[in-house]
Amino acid sequence: MKSLIFEELNGGASCRTYLIACARTREAIVVDPVLELVPVYLQRLGRDRLQLLATVDTHTHADHLSGGRELARLPGALYVGAPMAAVDRTLRDGEYMNVGDIRVKVWASPGHTADGLVLLLEDRVLTGDTLLIGSSGRTDLPSGDAEAAYASLDRLLTLPSHMLVYPAHDYGGRTFSTIGHERVTNPRLRMDRAAFIEEMNTRRMVPPSRLAESLAYNSRPREAGETAPREEAFLI
């Protein structure tokens, strides 16, 4: 994809934010932005004079405050994805975002949260918190569902082995994987359905330290003056 500009913007932090842009048209989207790093993203957009079409959250984040609403204050930008009450527009399974010459396909991917999404490009998939490198997203937080998570992971395994995997989190400093590598090495993907559901339903982890704050902030409804009509032509 000669036109593709693709970067991780958080410098290898455990929370991952991705820039997807078209080098020809200078149009861009930012996926899973962190509120505290919005100035960094604005600087990056400005450096190459990129036009932000939308910010995308792949799910309702429970461990950090989303920067999606703040970035979408840029002229002409939408806030899309999840959660439903907070965004200008939800994204539907099978829908596409056209970012210049780049087509980004949306898959609904519930499990870690009910509103989870993954985003597919020609040679890579942004897996949100559905599929992590060597693991998968926890299902013990609000709206999590182990059965739905298994179905979402099973769907990802239908992708070609060469597809690159870019998750929304990684705690080991790894930048990407592939579907083929995860299929062979990821313990969660080697479980059958019954074993996976039992594992996820009995597994209990320490809640994120900012759980209540993050859910309240990220899910709050749009306020008056924040929902002015914007162009949605890039969504098909």
Side-chain angles (χ1 to χ4, degrees), residues 32-65:
D32 290 330
V34 176
L35 179 62
E36 291 83 354
L37 295 176
V38 164
V40 174
Y41 311 144
L42 292 173
Q43 184 180 44
R44 177 63 188 91
L45 292 168
R47 191 178 83 206
D48 281 356
R49 298 181 181 178
L50 300 175
Q51 176 194 354
L52 187 68
L53 298 179
T55 58
V56 186
D57 271 323
T58 59
H59 59 286
T60 302
H61 299 284
D63 60 343
H64 68 268
L65 307 187

Side-chain angles (χ1 to χ4, degrees), residues 67-136:
R69 195 183 310 231
E70 288 302 311
L71 275 179
R73 295 182 187 277
L74 290 174
L78 284 167
Y79 180 27
V80 301
M84 182 181 296
V87 296
D88 295 312
R89 167 85 142 70
T90 56
L91 295 175
R92 296 182 287 269
D93 185 74
E95 197 165 35
Y96 285 88
M97 292 180 283
N98 283 333
V99 185
D101 300 330
I102 312 303
R103 297 192 83 197
V104 183
K105 188 173 184 179
V106 178
W107 275 3
S109 192
H112 173 65
T113 61
D115 56 12
L117 304 167
V118 299
L119 306 178
L120 295 95
L121 287 76
E122 182 179 326
D123 66 347
R124 66 198 67 197
V125 55
L126 278 62
T127 55
D129 274 15
T130 298
L131 175 62
L132 307 178
I133 298 175
S135 188
S136 63

Side-chain angles (χ1 to χ4, degrees), residues 1-235:
M1 290 185 289
K2 293 182 179 179
S3 295
L4 177 64
I5 298 171
F6 184 83
E7 296 176 17
E8 198 287 308
L9 299 177
N10 297 347
S14 60
C15 289
R16 303 289 166 84
T17 297
Y18 297 99
L19 170 70
I20 299 171
C22 175
R24 183 182 66 83
T25 66
R26 320 311 291 175
E27 294 172 324
I29 62 174
V30 173
V31 181
D32 290 330
V34 176
L35 179 62
E36 291 83 354
L37 295 176
V38 164
V40 174
Y41 311 144
L42 292 173
Q43 184 180 44
R44 177 63 188 91
L45 292 168
R47 191 178 83 206
D48 281 356
R49 298 181 181 178
L50 300 175
Q51 176 194 354
L52 187 68
L53 298 179
T55 58
V56 186
D57 271 323
T58 59
H59 59 286
T60 302
H61 299 284
D63 60 343
H64 68 268
L65 307 187
S66 169
R69 195 183 310 231
E70 288 302 311
L71 275 179
R73 295 182 187 277
L74 290 174
L78 284 167
Y79 180 27
V80 301
M84 182 181 296
V87 296
D88 295 312
R89 167 85 142 70
T90 56
L91 295 175
R92 296 182 287 269
D93 185 74
E95 197 165 35
Y96 285 88
M97 292 180 283
N98 283 333
V99 185
D101 300 330
I102 312 303
R103 297 192 83 197
V104 183
K105 188 173 184 179
V106 178
W107 275 3
S109 192
H112 173 65
T113 61
D115 56 12
L117 304 167
V118 299
L119 306 178
L120 295 95
L121 287 76
E122 182 179 326
D123 66 347
R124 66 198 67 197
V125 55
L126 278 62
T127 55
D129 274 15
T130 298
L131 175 62
L132 307 178
I133 298 175
S135 188
S136 63
R138 61 193 294 177
T139 60
D140 60 330
L141 298 177
S143 85
D145 184 310
E147 294 188 39
Y150 183 84
S152 293
L153 290 167
D154 199 44
R155 187 183 190 188
L156 283 171
L157 289 180
T158 66
L159 295 171
S161 293
H162 68 266
M163 286 283 281
L164 302 172
V165 170
Y166 289 90
H169 292 279
D170 187 76
Y171 304 97
R174 298 159 294 193
T175 55
F176 70 93
S177 183
T178 65
I179 290 293
H181 184 76
E182 294 305 307
R183 185 183 287 119
V184 172
T185 64
N186 191 320
R188 298 271 173 85
L189 301 185
R190 296 173 64 84
M191 296 179 181
D192 63 24
R193 181 176 181 275
F196 178 88
I197 292 171
E198 181 179 6
E199 162 76 10
M200 301 308 290
N201 283 340
T202 56
R203 182 181 177 84
R204 289 294 178 267
M205 301 171 63
V206 176
S209 60
R210 303 180 72 182
L211 175 64
E213 177 191 12
S214 297
L215 292 179
Y217 182 87
N218 296 336
S219 301
R220 75 195 195 284
R222 303 287 279 172
E223 300 171 2
E226 287 190 307
T227 56
R230 294 184 173 107
E231 179 61 55
E232 296 187 20
F234 83 108
L235 291 164

